[in-house]
Amino acid sequence: MTRPVLHLHVGAMKTGTTYLQELMLANRDALAGAGFVFVGPGWSRQVRAVQDLLHLDQHDPQIAALSAGAWDELVAEVRDRRDAASLVSMEFLSFTRRRRMAQVVRDLRGVEVHVVLTVRDVTSTIPAQWQTSITSKRTHTWEEFQAGVQRAASPVWAAHAVRGDTGVREFRRTQDVARMLRTWGRLVPPERLTVVTVPLERRDPDELWQRFATAIGVDPAVATEPPSKSNPSLGHASTELVRRLNVTLEGTLPWDYNRTVKAPLATRFLGGRRAIEDRARLDAATARFAADWNRSTREAIVASGAQVVGDLDDLPVEPTDDTVGDAAHGPDAAAVLDAARDAWGGLTTLHERRRRRIARLGDEPRPDPVDAPTPDWVDAAGTGTETDLDRAVVDLTALVRTLMRLRREMMELTTDETDDADEPDPA
């Protein structure tokens, strides 16, 4: 190679990014053998670099300390590599605005950059984005989020966002493909800007990878190992439970929240309930909005001159009956309480792991600080009222706060960021 080459996958969110990232990590040796190096010892290196570039979560001192200088380090690694192309995949890059793009252009001058943007039908991304926003500490209801999404097409959408309409802000930040194409088009010419559409029908789970591999120019057959992890979506009831917890957890730092609520509770303990819970469904007005947004996205892709891998018909321009539901009729208290019972079981197990880990790291065994009897709502499966649910949220909040404190104590006893007591103990 005469100059460094970088394939930059910039998102968008909820377009199969976790699947692609985990697949590339699982097959990084095979990809390196084919001339494509996934940058960093782990994906967290890329996350920290983008947090540094975009100043994300800088109000959390722990995240700020971990990400400081990470972007410069990543750029230096890309510049130093001449024997293979570098691969970076981080969907937060889709948030990049004009000022930060000017820095990206300066920092990557002399590097042959290829940008890949994965795009998906917003009929699917709207409920997925609501769920993701909830597991990022937001508190808007599904109905409020849908109303905000509909306002995202208003000429004065920014004014709604400034006034605190989080639905507008989240949707425009994560799903405004036209803006993303304009922004990244400042870095690369159209022949090095590729849109990969997420298959509308997911009959073949490998089809997205096949399209992505085509976009970056690698034989998809080199990836023989499946992803080691997934990012399961939550059902409506589980998402509503986390939303209610967020209201009571206001003021917690992102690091504490992510390591107790987002990762263990939402991903591991509640993610497994997806098969038994109803998903959040669009109301009729939001479904019509989604079809219109898909139409404008298709027009923006064509106007950008970007290369397209896949089919623009993966972005349907007419609502379908299977996506529309009664948004006013969400999960009842009994359904959310069932999710709360699974949450209680998982969190009490996590509490014991963290307690034991502190005992192993410290000089003396630590007594269990939670010695209260199991709340009565835990044992009444399939029943419950709003009053019972309110009590469950209070009890779960107290347990979550204890777990956050235990995690901080645990991390004070070790300097290894990856040392995590949250995984099950080996048999």
Side-chain angles (χ1 to χ4, degrees), residues 134-307:
I134 295 304
T135 58
S136 299
K137 292 185 62 182
R138 300 291 189 266
T139 59
H140 40 222
T141 66
W142 176 225
E143 295 78 16
E144 290 168 343
F145 186 76
Q146 287 188 97
V149 164
Q150 292 174 46
R151 288 189 285 271
S154 166
V156 294
W157 68 268
H160 290 289
V162 169
R163 289 198 293 267
D165 190 328
T166 52
V168 168
R169 185 170 64 248
E170 291 289 330
F171 184 81
R172 292 296 301 228
R173 184 172 74 150
T174 64
Q175 302 301 320
D176 190 350
V177 170
R179 172 188 57 77
M180 297 171 197
L181 290 168
R182 289 193 304 270
T183 300
W184 288 97
R186 296 188 178 98
L187 176 66
V188 298
E191 61 268 22
R192 286 195 266 124
L193 177 62
T194 303
V195 169
V196 174
T197 61
V198 176
L200 189 60
E201 300 291 339
R202 301 296 292 272
R203 295 189 182 94
D204 181 357
D206 296 327
E207 187 173 355
L208 177 58
W209 164 245
Q210 291 166 1
R211 293 182 180 186
F212 184 84
T214 298
I216 65 175
V218 67
D219 182 355
V222 303
T224 58
E225 296 296 321
S228 59
K229 292 188 291 186
S230 64
N231 185 21
S233 60
L234 297 184
H236 200 160
S238 289
T239 308
E240 174 60 16
L241 173 65
V242 176
R243 189 196 69 79
R244 293 184 184 221
L245 284 173
N246 289 349
V247 174
T248 66
L249 292 170
E250 184 178 2
T252 57
L253 290 173
W255 181 267
D256 288 334
Y257 182 90
N258 292 346
R259 294 305 181 106
T260 297
V261 179
K262 184 170 187 174
L265 175 58
T267 300
R268 194 155 72 243
F269 306 145
L270 296 177
R273 294 180 51 85
R274 179 64 182 86
I276 63 173
E277 291 184 351
D278 292 334
R279 61 187 176 90
R281 302 183 70 190
L282 307 183
D283 62 25
T286 309
R288 288 193 299 271
F289 166 88
D292 290 341
W293 191 270
N294 281 344
R295 181 181 292 105
S296 64
T297 296
R298 289 167 63 154
E299 293 169 354
I301 292 170
V302 172
S304 73
Q307 312 305 300

Side-chain angles (χ1 to χ4, degrees), residues 19 57 77 101 121 155 162 174 183 224 321 329-330 366 392 405:
Y19 162 76
D57 291 328
E77 183 173 342
M101 182 52 60
D121 170 21
V162 169
T174 64
T183 300
T224 58
D321 292 341
H329 183 65
R366 178 185 175 85
R405 178 171 53 80

